[in-house]
Structure formats: C-alpha cells, structure tokens
Amino acid sequence: GIWLTGDSVILGIKTKLAAQQPIALVNAKVGRQIDDLIKAVKEDGPKVPHSRIVLDVGNNNIITRDQMVQLMELIKNQPKIIVVNTAVPRVWRDKNDQIIADVVSNYPNAKLINWNDISTGHPEFFAPDGVHLEDNGSDVYVAAIVEALQSVGVNYSYKPGKPKTNREHLEEELGDTLAMIDILIEFGVVSPEKLEIAKQAKIEKLK
C-alpha cells in the first residue's frame, strides 16, 4: 500500500485516493511545515519500508535546499517516491518549487508532480484561501497522483473489501467535513464564533 504523508492538502484528498489505491499509512497534519514532516517521516519510515511514498511539501512556509535534501535522504530507499509541489498564493511558492524540483531530480526513483503547473489558470480548483481544494480540484490532484504512480510501474487492480454501510459512508463524509472546517478556521477563512451562531440557528430551525 501507499505511504501518504504531508499537510492538510494531502489530508483532504486521502479518501479519494484510498478509493483508487490501497493505503498502508497516512500521516498528514494541518499546517505542517517541513521540519515537522522530516520528523514524521523519520518516525514512520520503519513502519512501511516497502511502501511507495506520496507526499506534498512547501505549502506552509519557506523551505531550504538542506531541508529538502534531508527529507529525500530519509525516503530514498522507498521503492518509489512521488513528490507534489506547491501552488499556494504565497511569496515562497516559486522559490520552494525550484528547490523541490532541483532536489527531486537527483533521485532516480522519485517523480515530481508539478501541481503549480497543473493548476495554473484553474481558480475553480481551489477553496477561497487559494490553498485547499474544491471537489473538482481534489479530483484532478488525485488523478495526477494515480497517473504518476502508474508511470513508475504501480498498477494496482484495487478491489476494496467489504462494502461500507450507509452509516460508515456518512461518518466518513462528516469526518471530511469536520476536517475541512478545522482547516478553514485555522487559516482564518471562517470565524468559529459565527459558525457556532449559525449552527445554533440551524438546530433551532430543525427542532
């Protein structure tokens, strides 16, 4: 299965990717910066030594070449490495993407997904913060990952096991919604106080 790690963008697409590829491990966190990603990779690597790894990097702050090399050195022995760059509307985007491309190119078992190029000219892919993905954006993001995996020889005929119950589907969808609410609050897109007021008004209306 796939080892999936990174930040809230990866967190937001994990369910769609899991529907197409078996997942061995997910470790993604809202607001994660590269130092924390390096720490997570160091801890998780021994758990999934034979897994292909898919990760995103560079969304949440400036990265350095040394940090990117340190990250890649930790995962260089994974069978395949898929790295997704950043398209965030931040001052560090272009420099981060240059560092990511330069470092990834030194690893023959690694492939770069240029999400910045793929998403250019498609504002409809993004939520109002310009970072997190709308439904159609996550479809394209996942398709790019699956295509990259297939291009390096990963061709699962994935058949999930027992079908999920309606309750399990509902719980999964609600979990995704709650995660997105947390993300939007963290990035200041919505106010938790106003959300609470709106929630209480809705509850009263439904009584």
Side-chain angles (χ1 to χ4, degrees):
I2 303 300
W3 173 13
L4 189 63
T5 192
D7 61 20
S8 54
V9 175
I10 287 291
L11 195 62
I13 61 93
K14 66 181 177 65
T15 300
K16 286 185 177 180
L17 183 61
Q20 300 190 48
Q21 302 283 333
I23 305 293
L25 175 68
V26 178
N27 186 339
K29 190 171 79 172
V30 173
R32 175 172 275 161
Q33 298 186 22
I34 192 167
D35 282 339
D36 188 48
L37 179 59
I38 289 168
K39 181 182 176 184
V41 162
K42 198 176 292 185
E43 292 173 354
D44 290 341
K47 304 172 189 174
V48 280
H50 306 298
S51 288
R52 285 83 172 174
I53 181 170
V54 175
L55 64 95
D56 73 333
V57 64
N59 285 331
N60 293 305
N61 210 337
I62 295 167
I63 65 173
T64 68
R65 183 179 180 85
D66 286 347
Q67 287 172 319
M68 193 63 201
V69 169
Q70 186 180 355
L71 176 63
M72 292 300 293
E73 283 295 302
L74 285 170
I75 60 177
K76 66 181 181 181
N77 292 323
Q78 299 303 129
K80 300 294 178 186
I81 304 164
I82 306 297
V83 180
V84 189
N85 71 3
T86 180
V88 294
R90 304 287 189 269
V91 294
W92 56 76
R93 178 191 61 203
D94 294 344
K95 184 69 180 294
N96 280 4
D97 281 348
Q98 187 60 59
I99 290 170
I100 293 165
D102 288 348
V103 174
V104 169
S105 68
N106 294 321
Y107 294 83
N109 58 331
K111 184 175 180 64
L112 175 67
I113 294 176
N114 194 337
W115 177 239
N116 191 21
D117 269 7
I118 292 169
S119 61
T120 294
H122 293 282
E124 72 277 10
F125 287 177
F126 297 96
D129 63 4
V131 177
H132 299 97
L133 303 177
E134 295 285 8
D135 193 51
N136 57 345
S138 62
D139 285 343
V140 176
Y141 197 97
V142 169
I145 291 173
V146 171
E147 182 181 347
L149 287 167
Q150 291 174 344
S151 76
V152 294
V154 180
N155 291 295
Y156 293 110
S157 296
Y158 184 46
K159 297 180 180 178
K162 183 180 177 182
K164 292 180 181 177
T165 64
N166 288 339
R167 176 173 175 166
E168 287 170 333
H169 277 295
L170 177 61
E171 289 168 342
E172 187 174 280
E173 290 298 320
L174 291 174
D176 288 347
T177 301
L178 290 171
M180 185 54 65
I181 290 170
D182 287 346
I183 290 166
L184 293 174
I185 289 172
E186 175 167 339
F187 283 86
V189 178
V190 296
S191 159
E193 293 79 14
K194 289 183 179 178
L195 282 180
E196 182 62 26
I197 291 168
K199 183 180 80 172
Q200 293 303 324
K202 187 68 172 180
I203 289 171
E204 288 300 316
K205 189 180 291 186
L206 293 173
K207 283 182 178 178

